[in-house]
Amino acid sequence: MSTQDALIRTPLFAAHQAAGARLIDFGGWEMPVQYKLGILKEHRSVREHVGLFDVCHMGEVSLRGPKAGAAVQALVTGDCSKLDDGAALYTLMCLPHGGIVDDCIVYRRSESDFLIILNAANRAKDLAWIRENAGGAEIVDESDATGLIAVQGPNAVELVNSLSQADLAGVERFRFASEEIAGVTCMAARTGYTGEDGFEIACPADETESIWNALLAAGESLGVQPIGLGARDTLRLEAKLSLYGNDIDETTTPYEACLGWAVKLDSGPFIGSEALAKQKAEGVTRKLVGFTLEGRGIARHGYSIVDRSLAEGSQELGKVTSGTKGPTVDVAIGLGYVPTDYAKAGSTFTVDCRGKDIPATVHKGPFYKRS
């Protein structure tokens, strides 16, 4: 990674420039928001073919030694004791009061070696939190030494397989393998953030560009395209995947964010478990819901969600946390927190889009789910 004019660049910066990417400041990183195709076509490329994402800005922290397993278990809400070597787990780190420090994926490389991949904007904060609560495990920040490429779409597995001597098609969802890809030893994990199948490939930082170029060359007949942050956001929102800093943060709990399935209270005490057990028993007063708009307009982050039907006058229910026009589902979609009485599928309310009232209906489950 390199820094210039206070913006951090990934090992793929030169590749993005060569591809004509429009680069923006993304949380202090100089990242591609889109390429020449544009966001809409990039989105469709991932849904219909295969796309490559630069996710080198994500954080990678390993916990090692005989106390590593216990340390990870105390840090996250999931049950890591059930992981075997080569297994991964989506989970959360929480504060003592239950607020979400970050959502992350834990990878068990061995009983004494766990890797946690963290959100880019939270790298420094998360690393400090892990070090503070590591319980004697050895902490190694692998972020700057690691490159990360996401390969997503219906043709993703075929593309990655074409550059590997091993049959990576046999790697199951939320499992990973250490194999050579384009001649470089990588960790290929069957995970992603788009609602599509595919791999996230972790490799040595100085080999990232050669693997990226090899994937582009091998995937030409499969419709491969580089994909920017704009399409990454529309893809994850159609799949109803939360974005830290928008949909979840330290003021929201897993049960409020409808991520209670990632909390395993019987796995043993972890940071926040007492508060979350209490909240589960008592119930929550608000929930994160997905909704569709019934009129023309886009629900943008921060727009008010209101109930205009009350006889005593309008009531603000909450705020939109994410919103867009879903290119695949062809409807305006969004996420936001509302009182639990309004959280059932089919419930209705209004989104105030810059003074224009747009009716909205709560949608159960993801807006898009691949067949």
Side-chain angles (χ1 to χ4, degrees), residues 127-156:
L127 180 59
W129 180 255
I130 292 169
R131 283 177 169 157
E132 182 182 346
N133 297 283
E138 178 190 358
I139 308 302
V140 180
D141 183 6
E142 301 179 10
S143 303
D144 289 345
T146 305
L148 194 61
I149 299 171
V151 188
Q152 300 282 292
N155 297 336

Side-chain angles (χ1 to χ4, degrees), residues 90-92 100-105 117-119 242 244 248:
Y90 173 85
T91 187
L92 307 154
I100 300 171
V101 175
D102 203 359
D103 63 332
C104 54
I105 298 182
I117 293 190
L118 311 161
N119 281 302
S242 293
Y244 195 92
I248 54 175

Side-chain angles (χ1 to χ4, degrees), residues 41-100:
K41 290 183 178 179
E42 288 174 26
H43 178 109
R44 289 175 176 162
S45 290
V46 176
R47 288 280 183 253
E48 297 170 6
H49 305 292
V50 57
L52 305 185
F53 300 79
D54 177 2
V55 283
C56 296
H57 57 323
M58 303 288 280
E60 294 86 17
V61 175
S62 65
L63 288 83
R64 300 174 184 168
K67 296 183 179 180
V72 173
Q73 191 65 67
L75 279 165
V76 303
T77 63
D79 189 355
C80 295
S81 69
K82 294 182 178 178
L83 298 179
D84 59 354
D85 294 354
L89 176 71
Y90 173 85
T91 187
L92 307 154
M93 294 190 293
C94 289
L95 295 167
H97 67 74
I100 300 171

Side-chain angles (χ1 to χ4, degrees), residues 73 76-79 94 98 254-255 260-282:
Q73 191 65 67
V76 303
T77 63
D79 189 355
C94 289
Y255 291 118
W261 57 269
V263 178
K264 305 301 180 185
L265 294 171
D266 58 357
S267 66
F270 55 82
I271 301 171
S273 60
E274 186 175 343
L276 291 175
K278 185 174 185 291
Q279 187 176 69
K280 183 180 181 181
E282 296 177 351

